């Protein structure tokens, strides 16, 4: 990919002379590109002084890598290395903790507990409602509280499991993933430490402001309080369950921004896809999007809605479609998005015999980076020791090779090693087991081929072709989403799924769905009629391809 120049309202966002800029960027409007071009502008104009850096914050490793790729396109590798720090929130929090842990009375920067350790500890402490108690503990940790204050709150609330779990963490010199941001928040409240970072970072870019928790918002504000640019879309806020607080963050940003710029031209999607996206977003009050170059899309793009008798029929149709697309367009990316993993059980079974092997984004061993890491470090592990000891040795070797602040990869490696244990047994060797897993040398954020994912994992990504499956009432919207705020969030989830598509969008629903409790009739989502109306008529050739009834 080569660097491109801003167009339309992007020019205002990129070249704004203001110190505090808020950009409203609906899906496909070139948000990541705007951030990269804004970075280039801030460096070229001298806003970021020699010897100082620009900070770019994202939420996930995928989003971080995507933004870094765009920054390299605009600035080149050398300039990015010299002047830009790109990190996700847990990564930057880990760096802060490693450098300044003594500020809050922690003698050493403890390691993050592996998911398996947490599960075993909770089982060992086991009591009725233990998951609820641990969830309550995680909620408590989203506030700027010291360990002593957390123990006092847990004791007052009678959360005995939470107290004992915290004691086990301390005895093992471990912390939880969620502790990283809490500790960083506490450290940055030290004026001396905060000033060190604010002097170091001359400017800051923050991606997806609508997903910020109050804790993350404070961390960002204390890292850099000038020359900031926040980019996001209030209509794509779908992480309230994870602590996102757009109702607090967005009004505060709007109050402090010197300028607010809205983008309305889509550089991602075809006109056919945008017709569906606009139909879904209209009731949310979002600005309708238009294609940057509508004539550039063959036939205006594709958008079709297909009904099936059963989820098994739906799965067969989707696999037939994705096999066809993968063979006809080998360089294209194809996303199959299902709101929840249980709803795609029939699809997962059908993919076991598909021509094209998909990458499941929620299965760590199907993540190319993790596969490459475990394959590399599996070499040379002794094969004459028990299999579980081989896996433990593999984990130790990989972890030693990962930067200490890359906590997301560290967690993924831990989960990968647990899954390797499930694939193998005594008599196997780790080296032979990991050979079974697919690898890819693609450096793109998303490699060509078929990808299966849920709505929340896919946020911020894009695919040439997208299938949104399982559009039934009870699934989307979820049967428990009955209040107005909950239904609005479900609409935003739907919008996120639809807006991942570039060339073509395919929507599916099934009249009978099987789950662990049996087979049940279902009806199309209450939003299906609106979406179906916005789609193109399904031509006979498309119906045959998708094995539609």
């Amino acid at each position: 990919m080569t660097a491109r120049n801003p167009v339309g309202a992007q020019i205002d966002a990129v070249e704004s002379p203001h110190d505090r800029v808020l950009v409203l960027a609906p899906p496909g409007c070139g948000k990541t590109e705007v951030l990269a071009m804004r970075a280039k502008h801030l460096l070229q104009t001298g806003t970021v002084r020699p010897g100082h850096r620009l900070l770019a914050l994202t939420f996930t490793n995928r989003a971080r890598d995507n933004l870094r790729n765009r920054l390299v396109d605009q600035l080149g590798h050398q300039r990015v290395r010299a002047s830009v720090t790109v990190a996700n929130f847990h990564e930057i929090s880990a760096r802060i903790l490693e450098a300044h842990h003594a500020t809050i009375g922690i003698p050493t920067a403890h390691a993050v507990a592996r998911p398996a350790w947490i599960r075993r500890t909770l089982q060992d402490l086991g009591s009725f409602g233990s998951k609820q108690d641990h969830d309550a503990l995680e909620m408590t940790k989203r506030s700027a509280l010291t360990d002593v204050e957390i123990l006092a709150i847990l004791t007052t609330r009678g959360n005995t499991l939470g107290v004992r779990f915290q004691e086990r963490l301390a005895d093992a010199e471990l912390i939880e993933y969620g502790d990283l941001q809490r500790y960083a928040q506490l450290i940055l409240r030290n004026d001396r430490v905060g000033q060190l970072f604010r002097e170091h970072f001359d400017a800051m870019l923050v991606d997806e402001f609508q997903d910020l928790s109050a804790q993350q918002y404070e961390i960002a504000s204390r890292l850099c309080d000038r020359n900031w640019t926040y980019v996001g879309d209030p209509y794509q806020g779908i992480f309230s369950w994870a602590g996102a607080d757009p109702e607090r963050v967005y009004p505060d940003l709007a109050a402090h921004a010197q300028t607010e710029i809205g983008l309305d031209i889509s550089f991602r999607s075809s006109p056919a896809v945008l017709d569906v996206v606009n139909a879904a977003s209209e009731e949310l009050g979002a600005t309708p999007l238009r294609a940057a170059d509508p004539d550039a899309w063959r036939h205006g793009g594709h958008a079709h809605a297909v009904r099936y008798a059963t989820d098994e029929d739906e799965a067969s149709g989707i696999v037939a479609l994705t096999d066809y697309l993968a063979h006809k367009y080998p360089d294209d990316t194809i996303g199959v998005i299902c709101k929840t993993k249980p709803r795609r059980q029939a699809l997962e079974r059908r993919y076991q015999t598909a021509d094209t092997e998909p990458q499941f984004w929620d299965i760590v061993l199907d993540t190319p980076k993790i596969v490459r890491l475990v394959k590399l470090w599996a070499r040379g592990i002794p094969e004459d020791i028990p299999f579980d000891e081989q896996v433990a040795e593999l984990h130790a070797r990989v972890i030693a090779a990962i930067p200490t602040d890359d906590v997301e990869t560290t967690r993924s490696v831990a989960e990968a090693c647990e899954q390797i244990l499930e694939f193998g047994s005594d008599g196997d060797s780790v080296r032979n087991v990991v050979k079974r897993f697919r690898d890819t040398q693609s450096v793109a954020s998303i490699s060509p081929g078929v990808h299966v994912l849920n709505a929340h994992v896919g946020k911020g990504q894009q695919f040439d072709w997208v299938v949104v499956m399982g559009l039934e009432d009870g699934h989307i919207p979820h049967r428990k989403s009955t209040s107005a705020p909950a239904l609005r969030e479900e609409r935003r989830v739907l919008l996120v799924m639809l807006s991942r598509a570039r060339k073509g969008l395919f929507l599916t629903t099934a009249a009978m769905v099987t789950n662990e409790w049996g087979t049940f009739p279902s009806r199309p989502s209450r939003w299906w009629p609106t979406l179906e109306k916005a789609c193109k008529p399904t031509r006979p050739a498309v119906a045959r391809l998708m094995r539609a009834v």
Side-chain angles (χ1 to χ4, degrees):
M1 184 181 295
T2 57
R4 66 174 178 83
N5 297 317
V7 298
Q10 287 187 338
I11 298 174
D12 297 331
V14 169
E15 299 180 359
S16 174
H18 295 293
D19 180 64
R20 299 183 298 278
V21 179
L22 180 62
V23 182
L24 305 184
C29 288
K31 168 180 62 65
T32 307
E33 201 70 51
V34 165
L35 286 169
M37 291 187 288
R38 178 69 173 165
K40 183 177 181 180
H41 175 78
L42 292 171
L43 288 165
Q44 287 182 335
T45 57
T47 302
V48 179
R49 297 167 292 173
H52 295 256
R53 298 183 73 82
L54 179 147
L55 174 64
L57 291 174
T58 68
F59 284 87
T60 66
N61 279 356
R62 284 185 185 271
R64 177 201 63 195
D65 294 345
N66 188 25
L67 178 55
R68 182 180 286 121
N69 288 341
R70 304 295 180 89
L71 287 166
V72 169
D73 291 338
Q74 290 287 337
L75 299 168
H77 285 284
Q78 185 174 350
R79 192 72 186 275
V80 170
R81 283 194 300 269
S83 303
V84 184
T85 296
V86 190
N88 61 49
F89 276 94
H90 284 95
E91 190 175 5
I92 197 72
S93 297
R95 295 180 191 179
I96 293 168
L97 178 61
E98 184 175 21
H100 301 283
H101 52 83
T103 304
I104 54 175
I106 298 178
T108 60
H110 296 338
V112 177
R114 294 172 60 181
W117 184 94
I118 293 174
R119 285 195 293 272
R120 286 195 302 269
T121 302
L122 288 174
Q123 290 169 0
D124 186 40
L125 297 175
S127 63
F128 179 76
S130 61
K131 184 180 186 302
Q132 293 91 321
D133 288 342
H134 186 249
D135 289 346
L137 171 59
E138 290 185 332
M139 288 288 292
T140 304
K141 289 182 175 182
R142 292 174 184 168
S143 300
L145 299 169
T146 65
D147 291 345
V148 172
E149 290 170 331
I150 283 179
L151 284 173
I153 289 173
L154 295 174
T155 302
T156 300
R157 293 175 178 172
N159 188 341
T160 305
L161 180 134
V163 171
R164 293 169 65 196
F165 181 79
Q166 283 296 101
E167 291 171 346
R168 289 282 187 95
L169 279 173
D171 291 344
E173 295 188 344
L174 295 171
I175 62 174
E176 283 196 278
Y177 192 60
D179 286 321
L180 289 168
Q181 293 181 152
R182 176 172 63 91
Y183 287 145
Q185 185 181 20
L186 290 170
I187 289 169
L188 291 172
R189 286 189 174 187
N190 180 297
D191 290 337
R192 181 182 61 81
V193 176
Q195 187 57 40
L196 285 175
F197 283 98
R198 289 189 290 276
E199 176 63 24
H200 183 61
F201 295 120
D202 271 346
M204 177 175 67
L205 310 175
V206 180
D207 192 14
E208 306 283 19
F209 68 73
Q210 74 278 358
D211 294 333
L212 289 167
S213 66
Q215 191 171 63
Q216 291 164 332
Y217 183 41
E218 181 179 335
I219 289 171
S221 300
R222 291 182 180 275
L223 285 169
C224 183
D225 59 358
R226 66 190 186 282
N227 299 320
W228 54 251
T229 303
Y230 284 78
V231 178
D233 180 11
Y235 302 113
Q236 293 188 76
I238 62 173
F239 287 102
S240 59
W241 58 272
D245 195 1
E247 305 262 335
R248 173 179 172 183
V249 172
Y250 176 43
D252 194 70
L253 280 172
H256 288 88
Q258 293 171 318
T259 184
E260 183 173 309
I261 300 164
L263 309 180
D264 64 354
I265 298 177
S266 173
F267 298 90
R268 172 189 300 167
S269 302
S270 65
V273 171
L274 291 178
D275 285 344
V276 182
V277 170
N278 287 336
S281 65
E282 182 177 6
E283 192 164 317
L284 289 170
T287 301
L289 299 176
R290 51 196 174 91
D293 186 3
D295 296 331
W297 300 94
R298 187 181 181 189
H299 305 305
H302 304 270
H304 302 285
V306 179
R307 301 179 186 227
Y308 291 93
T310 69
D311 55 347
E312 292 287 349
D313 293 336
E314 177 193 45
S316 294
I318 291 172
V319 170
L321 173 67
T322 57
D323 275 348
Y324 169 81
L325 292 173
H327 285 96
K328 186 173 180 62
Y329 307 105
D331 295 327
D332 281 7
T333 55
I334 304 159
V336 181
I337 308 178
C338 188
K339 181 169 175 280
T340 63
K341 188 176 186 296
R343 173 58 181 83
R344 69 175 203 229
Q345 291 177 1
L347 182 74
E348 292 186 13
R349 290 192 297 271
R350 184 64 186 83
Y351 266 125
Q352 292 175 4
T353 57
D355 292 339
T356 304
E357 181 184 0
Q359 179 185 144
F360 291 93
W361 283 20
D362 53 351
I363 300 177
V364 173
L365 290 178
D366 277 342
T367 303
K369 176 181 178 181
I370 305 301
V371 173
R372 291 196 295 273
L373 279 171
V374 298
K375 283 186 173 181
L376 173 65
W377 292 103
R379 301 169 185 169
I381 291 180
E383 298 183 7
D384 58 350
I385 61 176
F387 186 73
D388 59 344
E389 293 182 20
Q390 293 182 47
V391 176
E393 175 65 17
L394 173 65
H395 177 263
R397 291 185 181 194
V398 178
I399 292 299
I402 298 172
T404 56
D405 57 9
D406 194 351
V407 290
E408 188 169 324
T409 300
T410 300
R411 273 169 56 95
S412 294
V413 168
E415 292 170 357
C417 288
E418 290 181 49
Q419 292 182 68
I420 290 172
L421 278 171
E422 296 175 8
F423 278 101
S425 59
D426 281 338
D428 283 327
S429 72
V430 162
R431 185 173 181 178
N432 286 333
V433 169
V434 300
K435 283 180 180 178
R436 305 175 200 167
F437 303 123
R438 186 176 63 149
D439 197 359
T440 176
Q441 297 301 318
S442 173
V443 297
S445 294
I446 303 177
S447 56
V450 180
H451 303 259
V452 181
L453 58 153
N454 66 36
H456 293 85
V457 172
K459 189 170 183 297
Q461 305 297 333
Q462 59 179 301
F463 302 89
D464 294 302
W465 307 90
V466 166
V467 179
V468 177
M469 64 176 292
L471 287 169
E472 300 96 23
D473 256 357
H475 183 231
I476 184 160
H478 192 274
R479 59 183 177 82
K480 292 184 179 179
S481 297
T482 56
S483 66
L487 285 171
R488 282 182 65 82
E489 176 134 342
E490 291 283 305
R491 273 190 174 274
R492 293 195 294 267
V493 171
L494 174 62
L495 178 61
V496 166
M497 293 192 290
L498 300 172
S499 59
R500 301 308 95 198
R502 294 186 62 249
K503 298 178 180 179
L505 176 64
F506 301 87
L507 313 180
T508 67
T509 185
M512 297 291 291
V513 176
T514 301
N515 58 32
E516 58 186 306
W517 295 287
T519 301
F520 301 94
S522 60
R523 61 179 182 271
S525 167
R526 66 194 66 182
W527 300 316
W528 177 269
T530 299
L531 301 177
E532 188 177 41
K533 183 179 179 181
C535 287
K536 290 183 172 183
T538 301
R539 302 191 310 273
V542 175
R544 286 195 299 272
L545 174 62
M546 296 186 68
R547 303 180 182 178
V549 177

